[in-house]
Amino acid sequence: MKFPLNDIINLLDDRLELNLAESTNKDLILEEIWDESFNLGLKKLKLEYGTSQGNEELRELVGKKLGVEKKNIVITNGAIFGNFLSILCTCNKGDEVITVQPNFPPTIDLIEGLGFKKKLLKLSFEEKYQLNEEELFKILSKKTKLIILVSPLNPTGTTLSIKEVEKISVRLNREYPNCKLLIDETYREATYGNNTLIPTFASLENNNIITVSSLSKCHGTPGLRIGWLCSRDDDFIKEVGLAKVNTVISNSVLDEYVAIQVLKKESKLFQTRRVHSSKGLELTKKWVQLNEQFLRWNEPNAGALCCIQLKKTMFNQQQLEEFYSLSKHAGIQIANGEWFGETKRFFRLGFGYMEIEKLNTTLNELSKILKKVANNGKMYR
């Protein structure tokens, strides 16, 4: 078993100053949650092993968010580890896992990396990356043990409704009772301004539904590596806890402690980040309008990110390569569509990470690059 190579690793290892590739809300600084209570608790924290399901207080706080009991929750090393454990605990040799494309690369690559058969349901830019239930069920088989869907979807910001997911879950239970449905809702709480919060799929009481999420994207704490998995299937939760012990033993108790403080203060943290994302989205919308001769997009429903398409009528393959080359030379980090299972004609644009002034400067510079490339290397005058 071997994980496929994907250049998204450059996001971690080769960070450029003007980072349009990042998909999180702006990073949280410890000062934002640091108070006397935090300080005293940190001083007395015992650096012992954690538990198989995770810190009890942390699970209670997550359960309150989701409207489920703490017994239904396992704290994981980010949402991606929730995906890892779900694949590991539902599949045996020869089994299949279905997910959508485009998608967050590790979600796709985990399937092959763990030695199972991968089936991809291609979503279309032209159809606004909406899921088609009938197309999904066409590729299902008796060997399919897990379906992984994402809402809001990375890299597009498109969403599924509670009604859609419940319908799929009920049909699965009837036609493929041995297959579970996992919804990665990592970006669920990354809404804009005063927009209504997207409801969690954990509210559905179907035993074949798994949800995963984390503090990484919406809270701006990817360095904490804290996420969670939720299921109403008690036997599955026990299997996940056992698999967790046999892979990572437990979470870091230090990370769990900080995560508790983040969740206790999340209302205030969300308020500032949602305003910031709203401003970033509006700036991006104006930028798209100014450059509509060069590109297209589908406006996201949530998440601090969107997917941009470079028009075929303006950019051939050589010009696409030039676009990425000039962007890198200008210090602009771009999330290549090939990372997500698209082509280089697409790229993910993150608008919630940088400060607004810096985002504006970066988008203006990108406009110049688009014009230069589209005009065969000569700037418009």
Side-chain angles (χ1 to χ4, degrees):
M1 295 180 288
K2 195 173 183 179
F3 288 101
L5 180 66
N6 192 300
D7 286 340
I8 198 170
I9 196 170
N10 293 332
L11 267 181
L12 298 178
D13 300 338
D14 186 23
R15 302 181 189 184
L16 300 182
E17 181 185 356
L18 305 175
N19 193 347
L20 283 179
E22 188 52 75
S23 63
T24 71
N25 277 335
K26 64 178 183 176
D27 291 334
L28 183 144
I29 300 171
L30 274 176
E31 185 179 30
E32 295 180 66
I33 59 170
W34 198 289
D35 55 24
E36 189 59 29
S37 174
F38 180 100
N39 190 46
L40 289 174
L42 191 60
K43 284 182 178 179
K44 295 179 180 180
L45 183 66
K46 185 186 292 187
L47 297 181
E48 59 187 346
Y49 279 119
T51 63
S52 63
Q53 279 193 238
N55 180 282
E56 186 175 355
E57 183 181 2
L58 181 55
R59 286 189 290 119
E60 284 180 349
L61 288 168
V62 173
K64 186 177 180 181
K65 285 163 64 72
L66 303 182
V68 301
E69 296 181 52
K70 63 185 178 185
K71 71 181 183 68
N72 299 119
I73 294 166
V74 176
I75 302 301
T76 60
N77 191 330
I80 194 62
F81 192 52
N83 291 344
F84 175 95
L85 292 171
S86 297
I87 296 170
L88 203 61
C89 293
T90 56
C91 296
N92 292 308
K93 187 176 180 180
D95 286 340
E96 302 169 347
V97 179
I98 293 174
T99 193
V100 296
Q101 185 184 41
N103 203 339
F104 181 53
T107 299
I108 296 176
D109 295 343
L110 266 178
I111 302 167
E112 284 185 326
L114 290 173
F116 304 111
K117 183 176 180 181
K118 173 182 67 181
K119 282 187 174 180
L120 299 176
L121 178 63
K122 179 68 175 175
L123 304 182
S124 166
F125 178 89
E126 302 301 332
E127 296 174 0
K128 299 185 177 181
Y129 295 110
Q130 293 303 302
L131 181 74
N132 184 307
E133 179 189 331
E134 293 306 318
E135 293 300 315
L136 172 63
F137 274 82
K138 280 181 184 178
I139 62 174
L140 272 159
S141 78
K142 291 182 179 179
K143 291 185 177 180
T144 307
K145 294 300 188 295
L146 183 66
I147 300 169
I148 303 176
L149 303 179
V150 188
S151 180
L153 179 60
N154 177 4
T156 68
T158 49
T159 54
L160 295 165
S161 69
I162 289 284
K163 185 177 179 180
E164 284 178 293
V165 170
E166 185 166 33
K167 187 179 177 185
I168 292 170
S169 170
V170 170
R171 184 173 172 182
L172 264 183
N173 199 41
R174 183 176 65 249
E175 298 179 21
Y176 298 92
N178 294 320
C179 181
K180 287 190 177 292
L181 175 62
L182 184 154
I183 314 294
D184 184 332
E185 51 182 26
T186 300
Y187 289 93
R188 180 180 70 87
E189 295 173 293
T191 53
Y192 314 124
N194 294 319
N195 286 7
T196 303
L197 182 65
I198 298 169
T200 173
F201 296 103
S203 63
L204 297 173
E205 297 184 4
N206 311 35
N207 270 13
N208 63 353
I209 291 179
I210 306 163
T211 60
V212 299
S213 190
S214 78
L215 295 180
S216 296
K217 307 297 186 179
C218 306
H219 300 75
T221 61
L224 270 187
R225 308 312 310 140
I226 288 290
W228 52 86
L229 175 153
C230 176
S231 171
R232 294 177 189 266
D233 183 337
D234 293 339
D235 291 335
F236 176 70
I237 287 292
K238 288 177 183 177
E239 286 185 51
V240 167
L242 182 60
K244 177 182 169 183
V245 168
N246 280 278
T247 48
V248 297
I249 308 298
S250 68
N251 291 95
S252 156
V253 293
L254 178 58
D255 284 5
E256 289 184 328
Y257 174 78
V258 178
I260 289 169
Q261 315 313 312
V262 170
L263 286 178
K264 285 180 176 179
K265 296 177 174 64
E266 71 172 4
S267 179
K268 181 180 178 181
L269 298 175
F270 279 156
Q271 186 177 10
T272 56
R273 278 158 180 78
R274 286 171 181 165
V275 169
H276 182 78
S277 289
S278 181
K279 290 178 180 178
L281 176 61
E282 286 305 309
L283 190 60
T284 303
K285 191 183 299 187
K286 291 177 182 177
W287 177 79
V288 169
Q289 291 169 350
L290 286 171
N291 292 282
E292 60 183 1
Q293 67 188 107
F294 305 117
L295 51 83
R296 303 162 66 203
W297 79 327
N298 291 314
E299 186 173 339
N301 299 322
L305 74 177
C306 62
C307 190
I308 303 292
Q309 182 196 54
L310 299 173
K311 288 185 176 180
K312 291 182 180 180
T313 54
M314 300 299 295
F315 303 95
N316 60 30
Q317 192 59 41
Q318 183 177 349
Q319 288 170 304
L320 292 179
E321 298 293 343
E322 185 181 4
F323 167 75
Y324 285 101
S325 176
L326 289 177
S327 297
K328 185 175 182 179
H329 183 74
I332 303 174
Q333 195 149 20
I334 301 287
N336 188 330
E338 288 185 337
W339 297 355
F340 308 95
E342 273 287 7
T343 68
K344 283 189 174 180
R345 190 163 298 282
F346 299 84
F347 66 92
R348 183 182 72 185
L349 189 155
F351 52 78
Y353 181 70
M354 289 191 287
E355 294 299 331
I356 296 301
E357 185 176 338
K358 195 171 186 179
L359 175 63
N360 187 46
T361 299
T362 306
L363 290 176
N364 287 337
E365 186 62 32
L366 203 61
S367 295
K368 295 176 185 178
I369 293 171
L370 286 168
K371 292 176 182 179
K372 183 174 183 178
V373 174
N375 200 38
N376 296 319
K378 295 180 180 179
M379 292 291 288
Y380 283 160
R381 298 185 186 280

